[in-house]
Amino acid sequence: MQKKKIQLIHNTFDIMYLIFGPVIAAVGIALFYTPAKITSGGASGVANILYNLFGFDPGIVTFFVNLPLIAVGVFVFGLKYSLKTLIGSSLLSMWVSVFGRITGYAGFLDVGEPVNILLSAIFGGVLLGTGIGITMKSGCNTGGTDIVAQTIAHYTPIAVGTVSFCFNCLVVGVSGYFIGFQPMLFSIIGMFC
């Protein structure tokens, strides 16, 4: 009986982590990164590039970029892993779109001021990292290059963090080409936060 209570408590916390993690990460993306043209790595970074180039909704783009990656996860890690990833990435995508549409992707800060872009990089990075960490605590993740990194780490001795860092650098580098050098530098600050 005691084991069942402990398991119930554990499951309750996992659900809370899964609900609140994507919300926190989405606030970082939709209210700080996107208005300031700051790009995170992974699928949300690709989505932010496409938003700045073509005006595509970052939440919807993130969802569709994640779908083929989740399919890879099914083959490598199984259906349970992929379902958890689908839930985490779907919640992140949904909340990015919700917060973005509420504010018109304008965020809270006047990004015409350079200090506010720096604040967006710092607070966006902290919120995004915290949200992803909380989501991972639930046993899920928010998709994107995490799946690719985990797949490569599964088949090679290369650490997940190393692969993830390389993919994130690639996405941020591409953003520098398309969006601009200054936003890329702020993106790097956000990644370190």
Side-chain angles (χ1 to χ4, degrees), residues 66 68-86 136 139-141 143-156 158-161 163:
N66 276 323
L69 299 174
I70 291 170
V72 169
V74 171
F75 291 110
V76 177
F77 300 108
L79 189 59
K80 183 178 178 183
Y81 166 89
S82 299
L83 287 175
K84 285 182 167 185
T85 301
L86 179 63
M136 288 184 159
C140 297
N141 68 52
T145 54
D146 292 342
I147 299 168
V148 177
Q150 289 171 334
T151 301
I152 291 172
H154 183 74
Y155 291 110
T156 69
I158 302 171
V160 172
V163 177

Side-chain angles (χ1 to χ4, degrees), residues 12-27 88 91-92 95 99 127-128 130-136 138 142:
T12 303
F13 275 105
D14 282 350
I15 292 168
M16 288 172 49
Y17 294 145
L18 180 59
I19 291 169
F20 291 112
V23 170
I24 294 167
V27 168
L91 288 171
L92 176 64
W95 285 116
F99 293 136
L127 290 166
L128 181 58
T130 301
I132 290 172
I134 290 170
T135 305
M136 288 184 159
S138 75
T142 56

Side-chain angles (χ1 to χ4, degrees), residues 2 28 42-43 52 60 69 73 76 79 103 106 108 111 121-122 128 130 133 137 145 148-150 167 173 182 184 192:
Q2 186 67 19
N52 284 289
I60 294 170
L69 299 174
V76 177
L79 189 59
T103 64
F108 294 128
V111 293
I122 293 168
L128 181 58
T130 301
K137 186 115 173 102
T145 54
V148 177
Q150 289 171 334
F167 276 110
Q182 186 182 32
M184 182 188 78
F192 279 103

